[in-house]
Amino acid sequence: MQNDKGLAAVLRQHEGKVLQDWTGALQEVRRHGAAGGGDRDTHAQARGFLGAFATAIRRSADTDLTGSDWDDVRALLTELSRDRAVAGFSPTETATFVFSLKQPLFVALREALADDPKRLSDELWAVSLILDKLGLFSIEAYQKGREEVIERQHQELLDLSTPVVELWQGILALPLIGTLDSERTQIVMESLLEAIVDKEATVAILDITGVPTVDTLVAQHLMKTVAAARLMGAECIISGIRPQIAQTIVHLGVNLDGVITKATLAGALQTALRKTGQSVQRAEPLKAGS
C-alpha cells in the first residue's frame, strides 16, 4: 500500500465524508440493540480514531501494525474497548466499531481508483487486512478489560462478604457467609488481624451461621484463622454451630480442643463479655407516671 496515493490520499481528501458515512453506520448498529453510549459519544470516538488511523496510514506502510506509528491507534482502541467492556457492550459490538469502517473506506477507494482495477484490488486487500487486525486487537483489549472488571467485582464481593464488626469494646465479630476457600480465608484472616490491631480487641467471634457446610478443608481454614488471631493476642470463639454441623465435625474427627464454640452469636457474645470482665444487665421498665 503506497502512502502517496490510494488510501492515504483518499483519507486526506475525503476524511470528512468517510467519517460521516462511518458514524451513520455506527449509529444504525447502536439503534439495533448495542448497549451504552449516545450519538455524540459515538461521533467523538469515531472522529478521534479515524484521525489517528489516517495519520498512521500516511506515516507507515506497515500492515503488521507493530511500529510506533500505530501507537496512538492502539492506545485509542484499547481505551475504547475497555470502556465498552465496563459499559456492558458485547465483544461483537466492540469489534463492530472497527469492522464497520470497511464499507465507507471501500466506497471511497472504489470512487478514487475506478480507473485502476489492479491498484484498487491491492488497496482493498491491504485495508481489509489492517481493519481485521485492528478488530481482533479490539477484542483482545475488550477481554482484558472485562477480566479486570470481573476481578474487581470479585474482590469487592470478597470484601463485602468479610465484614468485621465491633460488637463491644474489645470484642469483634466476623460473620462468615458462604463457602470458605483458600483465597477467601486469606482475606478473612487479613481483615480480622487488621481489626484486632485497630480496635485493640482481645476477643474475636467467628460466626459460621451462614456457612452451609463444614468439611475438613473449611475446618482447617477456621483453625488457621483462630491460630493467627491468637498470635495477635486475641482469643477466638466460634459461634453458629448448628446440630448438623456439630455432627459433621464429630464425624470428620476435627480437633477443636482449646477453641470455645457456641450455638448462637448471642451465646458467644455473653461468653466474650465475661472474658473481658464486662456484663450487660436488663434495665427495669419505667413505671407510668415515674
Coordinates of all heavy atoms in Angstrom, one line a residue, residues 23-65:
T23 N -20.0 7.1 10.9 CA -20.8 7.4 12.1 C -22.2 7.0 11.9 O -22.9 6.6 12.8 CB -20.6 8.8 12.6 OG1 -20.9 9.7 11.4 CG2 -19.2 9.1 13.1
G24 N -22.7 7.2 10.6 CA -24.0 6.8 10.3 C -24.2 5.4 10.5 O -25.3 4.9 11.0
A25 N -23.3 4.6 10.0 CA -23.3 3.1 10.2 C -23.3 2.7 11.6 O -24.0 1.8 12.1 CB -22.2 2.5 9.4
L26 N -22.4 3.4 12.4 CA -22.3 3.0 13.8 C -23.6 3.4 14.6 O -24.0 2.6 15.5 CB -21.1 3.8 14.5 CG -19.7 3.4 14.1 CD1 -18.7 4.4 14.6 CD2 -19.5 2.0 14.6
Q27 N -24.2 4.5 14.3 CA -25.5 4.8 14.9 C -26.6 3.9 14.6 O -27.4 3.5 15.4 CB -25.9 6.3 14.5 CG -24.9 7.3 15.1 CD -25.0 8.7 14.5 OE1 -25.9 8.9 13.6 NE2 -24.2 9.6 14.8
E28 N -26.6 3.4 13.3 CA -27.6 2.4 12.9 C -27.4 1.1 13.7 O -28.4 0.5 14.1 CB -27.4 2.1 11.4 CG -28.5 1.3 10.9 CD -29.9 1.9 10.9 OE1 -30.0 3.1 11.0 OE2 -30.9 1.1 10.9
V29 N -26.1 0.7 13.9 CA -25.9 -0.5 14.7 C -26.3 -0.3 16.1 O -26.9 -1.2 16.7 CB -24.3 -0.8 14.6 CG1 -24.0 -1.9 15.6 CG2 -23.9 -1.3 13.2
R30 N -26.0 0.8 16.7 CA -26.4 1.1 18.1 C -27.9 1.1 18.3 O -28.4 0.6 19.3 CB -25.8 2.5 18.5 CG -25.9 2.7 20.0 CD -25.4 4.1 20.4 NE -26.1 5.1 19.7 CZ -27.3 5.6 20.2 NH1 -27.8 5.1 21.2 NH2 -27.9 6.6 19.5
R31 N -28.6 1.6 17.3 CA -30.1 1.6 17.4 C -30.7 0.2 17.3 O -31.8 0.0 17.7 CB -30.7 2.5 16.3 CG -30.6 4.0 16.6 CD -31.4 4.8 15.7 NE -30.9 4.9 14.3 CZ -30.0 5.8 13.9 NH1 -29.6 6.8 14.7 NH2 -29.6 5.8 12.7
H32 N -29.9 -0.7 16.8 CA -30.4 -2.1 16.7 C -30.0 -3.0 17.8 O -29.8 -4.2 17.7 CB -30.0 -2.7 15.3 CG -30.8 -2.2 14.2 ND1 -30.6 -1.0 13.6 CD2 -31.9 -2.8 13.5 CE1 -31.5 -0.8 12.6 NE2 -32.2 -1.9 12.5
G33 N -29.7 -2.4 19.0 CA -29.5 -3.2 20.2 C -28.2 -3.1 20.9 O -28.0 -3.7 21.9
A34 N -27.2 -2.3 20.4 CA -26.0 -2.2 21.1 C -26.1 -1.4 22.4 O -27.0 -0.5 22.4 CB -24.9 -1.5 20.2
A35 N -25.4 -1.8 23.4 CA -25.5 -1.1 24.7 C -24.8 0.2 24.8 O -23.8 0.4 24.1 CB -25.0 -2.1 25.8
G36 N -25.2 1.0 25.7 CA -24.5 2.2 26.1 C -24.2 3.2 25.0 O -24.4 3.0 23.9
G37 N -23.7 4.4 25.5 CA -23.2 5.4 24.6 C -24.3 6.1 23.8 O -25.2 5.4 23.3
G38 N -24.1 7.4 23.5 CA -25.1 8.1 22.7 C -24.5 8.5 21.4 O -23.3 8.2 21.1
D39 N -25.3 9.2 20.5 CA -24.8 9.5 19.2 C -23.6 10.4 19.3 O -22.6 10.3 18.5 CB -25.9 10.2 18.4 CG -27.0 9.3 18.0 OD1 -26.8 8.0 18.2 OD2 -28.1 9.7 17.6
R40 N -23.6 11.4 20.3 CA -22.5 12.3 20.5 C -21.2 11.6 20.8 O -20.1 11.9 20.3 CB -22.8 13.3 21.5 CG -21.8 14.4 21.7 CD -22.3 15.5 22.6 NE -23.5 16.1 22.2 CZ -24.1 17.1 22.9 NH1 -23.7 17.4 24.0 NH2 -25.3 17.6 22.4
D41 N -21.3 10.6 21.7 CA -20.1 9.8 22.1 C -19.6 9.0 21.0 O -18.4 8.9 20.8 CB -20.5 8.8 23.3 CG -20.9 9.5 24.6 OD1 -20.4 10.7 24.8 OD2 -21.7 9.0 25.3
T42 N -20.5 8.4 20.2 CA -20.1 7.6 19.1 C -19.4 8.4 18.0 O -18.3 8.0 17.5 CB -21.3 7.0 18.4 OG1 -22.0 6.1 19.3 CG2 -20.9 6.1 17.2
H43 N -19.9 9.6 17.8 CA -19.2 10.5 16.8 C -17.8 10.9 17.3 O -16.9 11.0 16.5 CB -20.1 11.8 16.6 CG -19.6 12.7 15.5 ND1 -19.8 12.4 14.2 CD2 -18.8 13.8 15.6 CE1 -19.2 13.4 13.4 NE2 -18.6 14.2 14.3
A44 N -17.7 11.3 18.6 CA -16.4 11.7 19.1 C -15.4 10.6 19.1 O -14.2 10.8 18.7 CB -16.6 12.2 20.6
Q45 N -15.8 9.3 19.4 CA -14.9 8.2 19.3 C -14.5 7.9 17.9 O -13.3 7.7 17.7 CB -15.6 7.0 19.9 CG -15.9 7.0 21.4 CD -16.8 5.9 21.9 OE1 -17.4 5.2 21.2 NE2 -16.8 5.8 23.2
A46 N -15.4 8.0 17.0 CA -15.1 7.7 15.6 C -14.2 8.8 15.0 O -13.2 8.5 14.3 CB -16.4 7.6 14.7
R47 N -14.4 10.0 15.3 CA -13.6 11.1 14.8 C -12.2 11.0 15.4 O -11.2 11.1 14.6 CB -14.2 12.5 15.3 CG -13.4 13.7 14.7 CD -14.0 15.0 15.0 NE -14.1 15.2 16.5 CZ -15.2 15.2 17.2 NH1 -16.3 15.0 16.6 NH2 -15.1 15.4 18.5
G48 N -12.0 10.7 16.7 CA -10.7 10.5 17.2 C -9.9 9.4 16.6 O -8.7 9.5 16.3
F49 N -10.6 8.3 16.5 CA -10.0 7.1 15.9 C -9.6 7.3 14.5 O -8.5 6.9 14.1 CB -10.9 5.9 16.1 CG -10.3 4.6 15.5 CD1 -9.4 3.8 16.2 CD2 -10.7 4.2 14.2 CE1 -8.9 2.7 15.7 CE2 -10.1 3.0 13.7 CZ -9.2 2.3 14.4
L50 N -10.5 7.8 13.7 CA -10.2 8.0 12.3 C -9.1 9.0 12.0 O -8.2 8.8 11.1 CB -11.5 8.5 11.5 CG -11.3 8.6 10.0 CD1 -11.0 7.2 9.4 CD2 -12.6 9.1 9.4
G51 N -9.0 10.0 12.9 CA -7.9 10.9 12.8 C -6.5 10.2 13.0 O -5.6 10.4 12.3
A52 N -6.5 9.4 14.1 CA -5.3 8.7 14.4 C -5.0 7.6 13.3 O -3.8 7.4 13.0 CB -5.4 8.0 15.8
F53 N -6.0 7.0 12.8 CA -5.8 6.0 11.8 C -5.3 6.6 10.5 O -4.3 6.1 9.9 CB -7.2 5.4 11.5 CG -7.2 4.3 10.4 CD1 -6.8 3.0 10.7 CD2 -7.6 4.6 9.1 CE1 -6.7 2.0 9.7 CE2 -7.6 3.6 8.1 CZ -7.2 2.3 8.4
A54 N -5.8 7.8 10.1 CA -5.3 8.5 8.9 C -3.9 8.9 9.0 O -3.1 8.8 8.1 CB -6.2 9.7 8.6
T55 N -3.5 9.4 10.2 CA -2.1 9.8 10.5 C -1.2 8.6 10.4 O -0.1 8.7 9.8 CB -2.0 10.4 11.9 OG1 -2.8 11.6 12.0 CG2 -0.5 10.8 12.2
A56 N -1.6 7.4 10.9 CA -0.7 6.2 10.9 C -0.6 5.8 9.4 O 0.5 5.3 9.0 CB -1.3 5.2 11.8
I57 N -1.7 5.8 8.7 CA -1.6 5.4 7.3 C -0.6 6.2 6.5 O 0.1 5.7 5.6 CB -3.0 5.4 6.6 CG1 -3.9 4.3 7.2 CG2 -2.9 5.3 5.1 CD1 -3.4 2.9 6.8
R58 N -0.7 7.5 6.7 CA 0.3 8.4 6.0 C 1.7 8.2 6.3 O 2.6 8.4 5.5 CB -0.1 9.9 6.2 CG -1.4 10.3 5.5 CD -1.6 11.8 5.6 NE -1.8 12.3 6.9 CZ -3.0 12.5 7.5 NH1 -4.1 12.2 6.9 NH2 -3.0 13.0 8.7
R59 N 1.9 7.8 7.6 CA 3.3 7.7 8.1 C 3.9 6.3 7.8 O 5.1 6.2 7.6 CB 3.4 7.9 9.6 CG 3.1 9.4 10.0 CD 3.1 9.5 11.5 NE 2.9 10.8 11.9 CZ 2.8 11.2 13.2 NH1 2.8 10.3 14.2 NH2 2.6 12.4 13.6
S60 N 3.1 5.3 7.7 CA 3.6 3.9 7.7 C 2.9 3.1 6.7 O 1.7 3.2 6.5 CB 3.5 3.3 9.1 OG 3.8 1.9 9.1
A61 N 3.7 2.2 6.1 CA 3.2 1.2 5.2 C 3.2 -0.2 5.8 O 3.0 -1.2 5.2 CB 4.0 1.1 3.9
D62 N 3.4 -0.2 7.2 CA 3.5 -1.4 7.9 C 2.1 -2.0 8.2 O 1.3 -1.5 9.0 CB 4.2 -1.2 9.3 CG 4.2 -2.4 10.1 OD1 4.1 -3.5 9.6 OD2 4.5 -2.2 11.4
T63 N 1.7 -3.1 7.5 CA 0.4 -3.7 7.7 C 0.4 -4.6 8.9 O -0.7 -5.1 9.3 CB 0.0 -4.5 6.4 OG1 1.0 -5.4 6.1 CG2 -0.2 -3.5 5.2
D64 N 1.5 -4.8 9.5 CA 1.6 -5.6 10.8 C 1.2 -4.8 12.0 O 0.9 -5.4 13.1 CB 3.0 -6.2 11.0 CG 3.3 -7.3 10.0 OD1 2.3 -7.9 9.5 OD2 4.5 -7.5 9.7
L65 N 1.1 -3.5 11.8 CA 0.7 -2.6 12.9 C 1.6 -2.6 14.1 O 1.1 -2.4 15.3 CB -0.8 -2.9 13.3 CG -1.8 -3.1 12.2 CD1 -3.2 -3.3 12.7 CD2 -1.8 -2.0 11.2

